[in-house]
Amino acid sequence: MSSLTTLTDPGAVAKSVTATASGAVAAGKPVVVNSNGTVQQVAITSTFDGSMGTADDQGTSYRAGNISGACYHTGEDRTVLAFPNSGNNYYATCTTATINGTTMTMNAPTVINSTACAFVKCVYDTSQNRLMFFYKYNGNGNYAKVRSATLSGNTFTFKNEVNNAISTQGLGNKPGDMCNVDDGKIALLWGEGPSVATAQIVSMEGPQFAQVNTALTVSTSNSWNARCASGKKGEFLCILGKPNNLEYVACTVSGNTITKGTAVTYSGSYSTYNVDVASGFWDGYTTPESTYLAIQQPPNGSAGDAEAVVVTVSGTTPTINTALSLTADPSSNVFTMGWGGASNQAIVYYRSQATSSKGYAVELTYSGTTVTEGDIVEVGTSNYMNWGVAWDQDAKKSIFMYQDGGNSDTAEVNVYTPSGDTTSLTAQNFLGISTGAASNTEEVSTIVRGGTAKNLSSLTVGTNYYVQRNGTLGTTAADPSVKAGKAISTTSLLLTGDS
């Protein structure tokens, strides 16, 4: 067997190497180097189903009494949970949750505001290393408020509470939403009073950490369930569940000014309230941009009917692609969607219409504009409402909280590991592209960094290609992100090795 030392010798200029194959290697395939000096073709080595972890709570004094939220704090490597605590007068409350393997620990909660609240949401801004909470008084004028905070370990330090732009207009019983939209900027969305949906930008800069800006009406009809997500800096997509129809509205942000596009409306004969939308952009999956997954109760459907759809945005124009009718059967209780274990995967948590005593999680993935429904996994009996969902970018797991109806509505946190696979590829072991085929223990020649693999096909000239987990080449980085090289012809790839 030829030595692999040429790969590490600083003076070497080798563009190919010959080594012993561990397993069969096909021609023109990405290969990795093993610790014993052999090489093997990149491939999926095993698969596994989605699974739940071990839940935790802080006892029945802390109850998820209404619509809740969650976000992942990358700076402190833990999940922040926010909820109206019905065990303490529905006060806006927050806490942190940490993970060890698949076991969750919920830490001691803290009161955000000593006023009864109807919902509490939160986001984390990495550029400012700050949290923002958005909540609505339950009574007291039904006013909406924002409050920023910093986190050190499990200790929150709060700044002044700030009114949202419509400080004299109540939100009624309508839940709001929030999302990152740019560095230091957060988008708020809510159904305001009896008839409209409104959005505004909150700047997370300055001594008070929160400056609300001019609000914009994004819809002029009653929006009971208003949800939003951002799939690109300076862009967010609203989905509005309304009586007898639903709307999609795409918005751009320049400075603190929102520009909305024309709404895409779907009308029907049923009160469509249950909707959500998500993107992986702010969860570490920055490509593809402007691509969203949405789940909705169809306007002509009933409780238990749901469909998922890929939505792409160009400027302020949303394109709603062909929807997939789901086996998952969300009831009229509000469901929640968060991102999953890949750039094209989301996870929806819901209460089942057919099995109303249980909550479930369902995986949704997309390829192009086609949605595929994956595993449906039981969360638990009486574990089915007031969800808050976040993606733990370090553990690569979905952290979610919910109301445990079988334990005095206690706020509980658990972890879901999405279905997936293991691969022989790591961020460090990519060697190159094989020049020919070899059986197990035979020698195989591999083009390495600086060389040109010429035995390929169907490449797009000038395009960067990345090694995929299953050993193919693609134009989008996988996880791990390993760049193979740049196509210099339809059959040749210059291995740059600069991933």
Side-chain angles (χ1 to χ4, degrees), residues 43-331:
I44 299 299
T45 56
S46 65
T47 60
F48 51 88
D49 294 332
S51 60
M52 296 293 167
T54 302
D56 192 33
D57 59 61
Q58 278 284 316
T60 56
S61 294
Y62 300 98
R63 305 176 185 177
N66 216 319
I67 293 173
S68 306
C71 62
Y72 176 64
H73 194 300
T74 57
E76 296 294 329
D77 187 24
R78 60 202 61 213
T79 300
V80 175
L81 311 174
F83 58 98
N85 180 14
S86 57
N88 185 23
N89 303 304
Y90 288 87
Y91 290 171
T93 303
C94 63
T95 186
T96 61
T98 52
I99 184 172
N100 182 9
T102 58
T103 299
M104 295 304 302
T105 297
M106 181 187 288
N107 299 296
T110 300
V111 173
I112 304 169
N113 179 285
S114 298
T115 305
C117 290
F119 71 80
V120 187
K121 295 293 186 78
C122 61
V123 297
Y124 170 69
D125 185 280
T126 57
S127 71
Q128 303 296 314
N129 192 30
R130 298 169 185 170
L131 295 156
M132 184 70 71
F133 296 95
F134 177 37
Y135 45 94
K136 181 189 80 72
Y137 287 173
N138 189 6
N140 290 292
N142 293 322
Y143 300 148
K145 307 287 182 177
V146 293
R147 192 173 193 183
S148 64
T150 56
L151 179 67
S152 178
N154 299 315
T155 301
F156 295 89
T157 300
F158 296 100
K159 298 300 177 180
N160 291 348
E161 181 181 77
V162 180
N163 292 330
N164 78 320
I166 313 298
S167 59
T168 59
Q169 172 64 67
L171 270 63
N173 65 345
K174 300 169 178 62
D177 203 6
M178 66 191 312
C179 65
N180 300 91
V181 74
D182 207 337
D183 293 340
K185 297 185 188 300
I186 307 299
L188 306 181
L189 177 69
W190 67 92
E192 177 193 317
S195 60
V196 302
T198 304
Q200 74 178 141
I201 300 301
V202 178
S203 302
M204 297 184 69
E205 301 172 348
Q208 296 306 324
F209 292 4
Q211 175 63 53
V212 296
N213 299 286
T214 303
L216 175 73
T217 298
V218 296
S219 178
T220 56
S221 60
N222 188 8
S223 301
W224 187 87
N225 196 2
R227 297 295 183 98
C228 62
S230 171
K232 178 183 177 181
K233 286 188 177 182
E235 171 190 291
F236 66 102
L237 178 66
C238 309
I239 180 170
L240 309 168
K242 300 165 171 286
N244 303 317
N245 66 67
L246 60 88
E247 286 185 355
Y248 288 88
V249 181
C251 301
T252 57
V253 178
S254 178
N256 296 315
T257 301
I258 301 171
T259 300
K260 68 171 183 175
T262 302
V264 177
T265 303
Y266 292 84
S267 299
S269 58
Y270 187 82
S271 295
T272 302
Y273 289 152
N274 234 347
V275 295
D276 205 357
V277 62
S279 164
F281 185 82
W282 295 93
D283 289 313
Y285 301 106
T286 54
T287 57
E289 293 183 340
S290 303
T291 304
Y292 303 80
L293 267 173
I295 180 172
Q296 59 202 31
Q297 180 183 336
N300 289 312
S302 302
D305 295 335
E307 57 188 21
V309 62
V310 175
V311 183
T312 54
V313 173
S314 177
T316 57
T317 302
T319 298
I320 319 301
N321 296 285
T322 302
L324 172 72
S325 294
L326 300 178
T327 302
D329 63 335
S331 72

